[in-house]
Amino acid sequence: MTKIIQISDTHIVPEGTLAYGQVDTAKALAETVTTINRLLPQVGPIDLVIVTGDLTEHGSEEEYRRFRSLMADLQVPYRVLPGNHDRREAMRTSFADAHWMPPTGPLDWQIDFEDFAVVGLDSLTANSAHGTLERATLSFLTDALAHLGGKPVLVGFHHPPFVVGIEAMDAQNLINANSLSTALSLHAGQVLMVCGHLHRGIAGLFCGRLCQVCPGTSHAVTLDQRANAGNSFIKEPGGLLLHEWRDGGFLSHLVPIGAYPGGYPFK
Ligand SMILES: [Fe+2]
Ligand SMILES: [Fe+2]
């Protein structure tokens, strides 16, 4: 049974600093790694962990080094995708030793598992908060789907393809989502889209397929759907998603990050 874990928006900053002067994102990522390793005996084996963008706050090589050092204890292989806070070339350089990191072009990759394939798409638009799937990335997706035939596919990227009612974030989502819809409409098999950017757990339908937005590992975007609410964060608990293939379909579990008392019998 194929299982992958998704984490997102780790926003690592240089050592000795806090994100926005408020959030210890490195501590949150360390807790995330511990949470995943602790889960393994209960839900493993896990085939892959994917990180759906905003690994760092500023896209510096120093921050990527810190990210990699915090992830070094993870007992599962992982792959990453860029978000709007990342810088493509710094990320490429920082993961140059990873066999799945493309030497040129968008940071797209694919891996096939027994039950489903995972296709990672680069939605970073340089110097912009919103996302775009460039022509090369759309071709990568179209080719991947053509080769998969009807095999189920989990498609990961950073920017959500739909609006969620949080005005400041909706203005910076995936601006050419129609192109994604066109590409996916040709696929006969099941599709699960997974993304990040919103720092909130949200599930919605996009072009008739399920799209899961993963919470961040530390801070959350404030759920405020009033007009002109501005853009702010709230220190809600971080979370991760466990996506698995069960009984002929995709299924996603939301797991809070951290250690909680439990295992109490229901009697
Ligand atoms: Fe983010
Ligand atoms: Fe983002």
Side-chain angles (χ1 to χ4, degrees), residues 108-163:
D108 305 321
W109 46 257
Q110 177 183 350
I111 180 168
D112 291 353
F113 295 110
E114 183 185 351
D115 298 311
F116 57 87
V118 180
V119 175
L121 302 178
D122 178 342
S123 64
L124 190 160
T125 308
N127 305 311
S128 297
H130 68 260
T132 317
L133 298 177
E134 300 291 351
R135 187 176 302 179
T137 293
L138 289 167
S139 296
F140 182 88
L141 174 62
T142 304
D143 290 349
L145 295 176
H147 283 102
L148 287 171
K151 184 169 182 172
V153 62
L154 183 149
V155 184
F157 45 91
H158 181 67
H159 295 83
F162 43 45
V163 294

Side-chain angles (χ1 to χ4, degrees), residues 203-266:
L205 288 179
F206 173 71
C207 60
R209 318 267 199 170
L210 183 60
C211 178
Q212 291 275 11
V213 185
C214 188
T217 48
S218 53
H219 53 293
V221 170
T222 310
L223 178 57
D224 189 338
Q225 297 181 316
R226 293 173 293 183
N228 305 310
N231 202 359
S232 68
F233 67 86
I234 180 170
K235 294 178 177 178
E236 290 177 350
L240 59 84
L241 293 175
L242 164 61
H243 306 293
E244 62 174 359
W245 187 260
R246 187 172 290 277
D247 201 18
F250 282 112
L251 190 68
S252 302
H253 305 260
L254 171 62
V255 182
I257 287 162
Y260 302 91
Y264 307 115
F266 280 110

Side-chain angles (χ1 to χ4, degrees), residues 32-91:
T32 302
V33 169
T34 303
T35 300
I36 294 172
N37 289 342
R38 192 191 304 118
L39 270 175
L40 290 178
Q42 296 166 231
V43 304
I46 301 294
D47 296 285
L48 184 72
V49 170
I50 65 169
V51 191
T52 45
D54 286 357
L55 276 59
T56 65
E57 179 65 21
H58 308 100
S60 70
E61 291 187 19
E62 176 189 4
E63 289 170 332
Y64 289 115
R65 271 195 300 278
R66 194 174 189 208
F67 173 89
R68 288 195 65 165
S69 130
L70 288 158
M71 291 287 278
D73 290 335
L74 187 66
Q75 292 164 17
V76 183
Y78 72 92
R79 295 191 183 197
V80 302
L81 291 168
N84 51 298
H85 282 263
D86 293 306
R87 291 194 186 162
R88 188 176 286 115
E89 294 314 318
M91 205 161 152

Side-chain angles (χ1 to χ4, degrees), residues 9 11 52-54 83-85 129 158-159 169 172 196-199:
D9 294 87
H11 287 265
T52 45
D54 286 357
N84 51 298
H85 282 263
H158 181 67
H159 295 83
M169 296 304 290
Q172 47 177 272
H197 190 55
L198 290 167
H199 295 230

